[in-house]
Each structure stands twice: as C-alpha cells, then as structure tokens.
Amino acid sequence: QVQLVESGGGLVEAGGSLRVSCAASGRTLSDYAMGWFRQAPGKEREFVAVINKSGGTTLYAVSVKGRFTISRDNAKNTVYLQMNSLTPEDTAVYYCAAARYSLSSRVGSYDYWGQGTQVTVSS
C-alpha cells in the first residue's frame, strides 16, 4: 500500500506560478512511476504529467508542456509539479498517482491516488 498526500495548492493570479507536492508513505516511492492528473468541475480527470521511477523520463500533456515541470526526490519520497504561466483554464483539483508497472497517461494504469489539492487561477 502507498499513501499519497498532496499539498501546495491555492489561489494564484493568471501568469503566476505555484508548486504542488505529493508526499508518499508506506512504500518506497522509487518503486513507482508517478503521475499528476487534474479534474475541473464537470469534466473528466485528465492527464497532466508523468515521471518514471528514476526521474530520467518525463511526459507532458500538450496543454501544459513548456509551462509545467514534474520532478521527484526519491530520497524524500516526494514528487513535485512546478506550474508556471498559469491560466484560468488550469483551475482544477490536482491529484498525484502511483503506477507500479507503467509510464502512462491513462487513469486506469495507476494503482494509488492522493486526495487532491485545489488550484485556482484568477483572471
């Protein structure tokens, strides 16, 4: 079992930056690829970014590429999502998730999920 807890969400103005974190407990984080997803009101949960177990490979959704950066510190059992140049369209609950066997953009590929942290971008 892996327990994931997101933090760092909040309210930011358009054009601003925010970093959200995901702390893991229960198992060694380096056993998992880690992803970030988001879900806006009335919309399906969508892929944002994923990083492989070692941190050497990352993938991003087209909508965030060049603005967001995913990283991980396995020694601290923590994954980060640095978000720059935020727009109101980035407003959502952001979730981190752990995948034991794949580097994937699919929700169904992930084994464990955090409870989410709200990010609100004002115009």
Side-chain angles (χ1 to χ4, degrees):
Q1 284 280 358
V2 177
Q3 292 79 44
L4 303 173
V5 179
E6 300 94 336
S7 61
L11 175 64
V12 63
E13 292 184 352
S17 298
L18 202 61
R19 188 178 79 162
V20 291
S21 302
C22 173
S25 61
R27 289 288 299 270
T28 302
L29 196 64
S30 58
D31 290 339
Y32 299 87
M34 297 298 298
W36 284 98
F37 291 76
R38 66 186 182 186
Q39 188 166 18
K43 294 188 177 181
E44 293 187 354
R45 193 167 298 190
E46 66 173 3
F47 168 75
V48 175
V50 62
I51 189 166
N52 73 338
K53 297 177 183 181
S54 67
T57 300
T58 57
L59 298 172
Y60 295 92
V62 171
S63 59
V64 307
K65 195 169 185 179
R67 299 189 298 123
F68 290 12
T69 302
I70 187 172
S71 62
R72 64 191 300 160
D73 186 337
N74 287 339
K76 295 183 177 179
N77 259 14
T78 302
V79 179
Y80 306 98
L81 185 68
Q82 176 68 43
M83 303 181 288
N84 299 328
S85 302
L86 285 160
T87 74
E89 289 67 39
D90 295 315
T91 295
V93 177
Y94 283 71
Y95 298 90
C96 69
R100 184 69 177 90
Y101 296 112
S102 63
L103 190 70
S104 175
S105 62
R106 293 176 59 247
V107 170
S109 296
Y110 289 79
D111 304 294
Y112 302 101
W113 292 83
Q115 85 290 346
T117 185
Q118 176 70 47
V119 172
T120 303
V121 184
S122 64
S123 58

